[in-house]
Amino acid sequence: MAPHAITPPPMPHGTPFHPITVLASSRAVIAGRLTEATIVVSNFTGKITSIFHSVLPPTDFLESTSYTDYSPHVLIPGLVDAHVHLNEPGRTEWEGFWTGTRAAAFGGVTTVVDMPLNAIPPTTTVDNLRIKVEAAKGKCWVDVGFYGGLVPGNTSELKGLVQEGVRGFKGFLIDSGVEEFPAVTSTDIEHALSELKGSDTTLMFHAEMIPPITASVGDDVQRAHPPLAPSGPLTQYSTFLDSRPPSFETYAIAEILSLAHLAPDLQLHIVHLSAIEAIPLLREARVQGTKITAETCFHYLALAAESIQEGDTRHKCCPPIRSQSNQDGLWEELVQDQAEGVIKTVVSDHSPCTPNIKLLPAAFAPKKESKRKAGHKEGPEERGDFFSAWGGISSVGLGLPILWTEGQKRDENFSIEDVVRWCCTNTAKQVGLERTKGDIGVGFDADIVIFDDVAEFTVEPSTMLFRNKVSPYENKTLKGVVRETWLRGQRIFTRGDGFSEKAGPKGQLLLEPRKTAK
C-alpha cells in the first residue's frame, strides 16, 4: 500500500468513497511560514489530518485519491473578514447573505463576521439574533459568524447574546447613520463593561466623537452656521475630510481608554482605525497593560484623499479616507514587529448600499441605477454631495488582491506571510476562531485558497460579486488572482468554472460560544 494511503471504509451498495483529498504546492503558508507542503484533508470531517513539508508525489497515495499539485501557486488559509455588513434582513436590496458570501468566496474569504447594524432588526437582542440566523440559513457560500450590537438600553441582553454565540459587540460613539442603531454614551459603555466583565468576548467601538470644541459638526456641517460652515463645496472631498478630522478619532479613543479599567481583562478593539494620530494613544495604553487592539481597512491602505475626484462619492466612508502621508503612516505601523504594532488586523468593512443613495454623478454611476426610494425628493445639486450620500466602501472579496497589489508597490519583497497574519491568523483570533480558522494546520478546517500571486485582473462588474456594483476599485488593475477557494475540504469556487450551483451554498453559521484559548 502507498505509504500515506488510508484504507477506505466499506460503503453501502458499493458506493465509492474517497476518504481523503490531497493538495500540494511548492509554496504554501503553513503556521505562518512559506514552505513546500502536501496537505491531507479528511473527506469525513473537512479537517486537515496531516501536513508534509515537501511535495509528495501522487504515488504516495491510493490511486483513487483526489490529488492536485498547484505549484507554483501559493496555498494560503482562507481569509477571515472580521468586518462585513450583509444587511439581511431588512435591507437585503443593499446586500444579502447569498450575494455577499459569494463575493467573499470569489476573493478567497472563507469566513465573514456580520456586523450588527444595517439589518432590520439590528442584532441587539437575542430575539433579533435569532431572526438574523433564520434569514441566513441555506444562503451562505462561506462560513458566517455574527456580532452583537451595543446600543443604549440593551445591557441586559449582552450576556444572552454571548451565550447564543456572537463573536463580539460593536457600539458607535457617533451617529451610526441608521436610526435603529443609536450611539452610546460613556454611561452606556460603563454599564457594558461591568456586564461583560469576565466574559469570553470582545467589545468593539466605532471610535469617532465630536470634541467639545471643534471646527466641524460631521455630516450636519452643510446645515450649520459660521464658524461651523463647510470649508468648501460639498462635492469636493476635501470639504468632507475637513469635517471629520483626526481629533474625532483621538477623542473617542481617549474616552474608551479612560473607562477600560472597569473591565481590565475584557478585550477591547477599535474598528476601522483611520487616523495615525491615534496610534500613540493605543501604543501607550497597551504598554500600561490595557487589552486593546485595532484594525484598519483595505481602503485606508490603498486609497488616498488627494486622488479622489470631485463628486466621486464611492469613496465616502466614516472615518474618512485620509491623506497619502496618513496612509504611509498606517503601513509603517502595520509592518511593525508583531508584538509592538497596535494594528493587528486588516478587514474590508464592506458597507454597501443601493446606487441611488450614493448620489453619484453620471460619470461614476452604474449604467443601470436603482430607482430612488418613494418619497425622496432629489435635486440635481445632491449629485456628488459627500455629506448627503450614504457612507461605505464595497470591497468584500477584493481585499486580498488590493493588499497584495499595494504591498508589492511599496516593497518588491513584500511577504504573503504578512497578508496571512493580518487577514487570516489575527482576524481569526480577533473573533475567537483561532482553533479552527486562519491557519493551515492539523485539526483546522480545510479552508484553503489557491492564490496566483502573479496574474492580474481589472475590477469590473463581473469581478464584483456583491449585490450592487458600486466600488471605488472599479476599473483598477489588481495583482493577484484567487484560482480556487476551498471550504472545509470542499472546492466551492474556481476562477474558471465559478460556483457549483447544483451543490448550492455549503457555508455554516458559527454560533458556538467563544472560549478563550489557553
Side-chain angles (χ1 to χ4, degrees):
M1 182 179 290
H4 308 297
I6 297 176
T7 303
M11 297 295 289
H13 311 297
T15 304
F17 181 81
H18 307 299
I20 62 170
T21 295
V22 178
L23 296 79
S25 178
S26 58
R27 296 190 300 159
V29 181
I30 308 295
R33 186 172 66 88
L34 191 64
T35 180
E36 293 185 359
T38 301
I39 303 162
V40 180
V41 178
S42 167
N43 291 336
F44 293 104
T45 65
K47 301 279 188 181
I48 297 168
T49 59
S50 54
I51 299 173
F52 303 90
H53 291 275
S54 62
V55 177
L56 300 179
T59 51
D60 275 14
F61 302 91
L62 289 173
E63 186 176 351
S64 60
T65 299
S66 173
Y67 173 102
T68 307
D69 181 355
Y70 288 99
S71 304
H73 299 330
V74 190
L75 307 185
I76 66 172
L79 275 67
V80 178
D81 193 339
H83 192 141
V84 177
H85 295 264
L86 292 174
N87 301 344
E88 187 175 1
R91 290 190 175 96
T92 311
E93 72 275 14
W94 292 18
E95 189 63 275
F97 289 105
W98 184 277
T99 51
T101 58
R102 279 170 75 96
F106 173 89
V109 177
T110 53
T111 304
V112 301
V113 187
D114 180 55
M115 279 291 164
L117 72 158
N118 296 348
I120 302 174
T123 314
T124 52
T125 68
V126 169
D127 286 344
N128 289 359
L129 172 64
R130 291 170 179 167
I131 292 170
K132 167 82 76 168
V133 168
E134 282 300 314
K137 287 180 178 177
K139 299 177 183 177
C140 299
W141 292 86
V142 303
D143 288 354
V144 177
F146 304 92
Y147 288 121
L150 174 63
V151 294
N154 81 325
T155 304
S156 62
E157 294 280 347
L158 302 182
K159 285 186 177 178
L161 285 165
V162 170
Q163 293 166 3
E164 291 287 318
V166 297
R167 314 312 307 175
F169 295 90
K170 179 185 181 181
F172 276 71
L173 278 72
I174 199 169
D175 180 20
S176 72
V178 291
E179 62 182 3
E180 64 274 4
F181 203 94
V184 292
T185 65
S186 296
T187 301
D188 297 319
I189 297 172
E190 291 176 7
H191 291 163
L193 290 168
S194 297
E195 184 73 5
L196 293 173
K197 186 176 181 179
S199 298
D200 288 325
T201 193
T202 299
L203 187 54
M204 311 183 303
F205 297 98
H206 178 128
E208 285 186 289
M209 289 179 74
I210 301 174
I213 301 173
T214 179
S216 170
V217 290
D219 280 357
D220 289 331
V221 69
Q222 73 271 34
R223 291 183 287 275
H225 299 291
L228 303 182
S231 62
L234 304 184
T235 55
Q236 288 186 0
Y237 186 75
S238 59
T239 308
F240 175 66
L241 183 58
D242 289 345
S243 79
R244 295 185 93 107
S247 59
F248 276 34
E249 293 187 68
T250 56
Y251 184 64
I253 289 171
E255 185 69 14
I256 294 162
L257 293 174
S258 74
L259 301 170
H261 67 280
L262 297 173
D265 294 326
L266 183 64
Q267 181 65 54
L268 306 178
H269 183 74
I270 305 301
V271 299
H272 50 50
L273 183 73
S274 161
I276 57 173
E277 289 84 352
I279 291 173
L281 290 172
L282 293 167
R283 182 177 287 124
E284 177 61 23
R286 287 172 59 82
V287 169
Q288 297 300 322
T290 302
K291 295 180 65 174
I292 191 164
T293 54
E295 67 189 37
T296 194
C297 301
F298 303 117
H299 43 275
Y300 299 133
L301 297 170
L303 304 174
E306 294 90 336
S307 301
I308 299 174
Q309 297 182 52
E310 183 172 1
D312 191 354
T313 53
R314 293 175 300 179
H315 293 80
K316 181 186 175 178
C317 60
C318 299
I321 294 164
R322 301 193 186 276
S323 67
Q324 182 63 60
S325 61
N326 186 87
Q327 181 192 115
D328 295 341
L330 291 174
W331 271 100
E332 289 173 11
E333 180 64 21
L334 195 59
V335 298
Q336 287 282 333
D337 177 83
Q338 296 182 40
E340 296 295 327
V342 302
I343 302 175
K344 300 296 185 184
T345 53
V346 184
V347 297
S348 70
D349 188 12
H350 176 66
S351 186
C353 65
T354 51
N356 54 314
I357 59 175
K358 270 294 186 184
L359 303 179
L360 285 162
F364 306 116
K367 292 180 181 180
K368 294 181 179 180
E369 183 177 317
S370 303
K371 294 181 180 179
R372 297 292 286 173
K373 287 186 177 180
H376 180 86
K377 296 180 180 179
E378 176 198 330
E381 70 281 355
E382 288 191 11
R383 291 290 168 185
D385 180 342
F386 280 100
F387 293 85
S388 297
W390 175 261
I393 303 290
S394 292
S395 64
V396 69
L398 299 177
L400 175 56
I402 289 168
L403 201 56
W404 185 244
T405 301
E406 186 63 25
Q408 290 274 296
K409 286 179 184 177
R410 289 174 173 273
D411 182 356
E412 62 181 11
N413 296 315
F414 180 66
S415 167
I416 191 64
E417 292 102 315
D418 285 336
V419 176
V420 168
R421 186 170 71 254
W422 302 330
C423 301
C424 306
T425 310
N426 288 357
T427 44
K429 183 178 180 181
Q430 178 181 315
V431 296
L433 293 171
E434 65 270 31
R435 292 183 180 88
T436 56
K437 304 289 186 182
D439 196 3
I440 296 177
V442 173
F444 280 71
D445 290 346
D447 298 351
I448 299 171
V449 174
I450 289 78
F451 183 55
D452 183 341
D453 60 333
V454 176
E456 297 182 342
F457 72 101
T458 300
V459 180
E460 55 189 16
S462 66
T463 56
M464 296 186 288
L465 272 61
F466 35 85
R467 185 179 298 278
N468 295 291
K469 318 302 182 185
V470 178
S471 174
Y473 298 104
E474 186 171 7
N475 297 322
K476 293 184 183 297
T477 298
L478 299 179
K479 185 176 183 179
V481 171
V482 171
R483 294 297 178 191
E484 296 183 11
T485 302
W486 290 66
L487 177 68
R488 283 177 282 100
Q490 297 184 64
R491 186 192 290 112
I492 60 171
F493 168 80
T494 71
R495 191 61 176 252
D497 298 327
F499 295 86
S500 175
E501 304 294 347
K502 185 176 181 180
K506 299 295 184 182
Q508 295 183 0
L509 306 184
L510 305 174
L511 292 167
E512 181 180 347
R514 290 181 61 161
K515 293 180 181 178
T516 301
K518 302 299 183 184

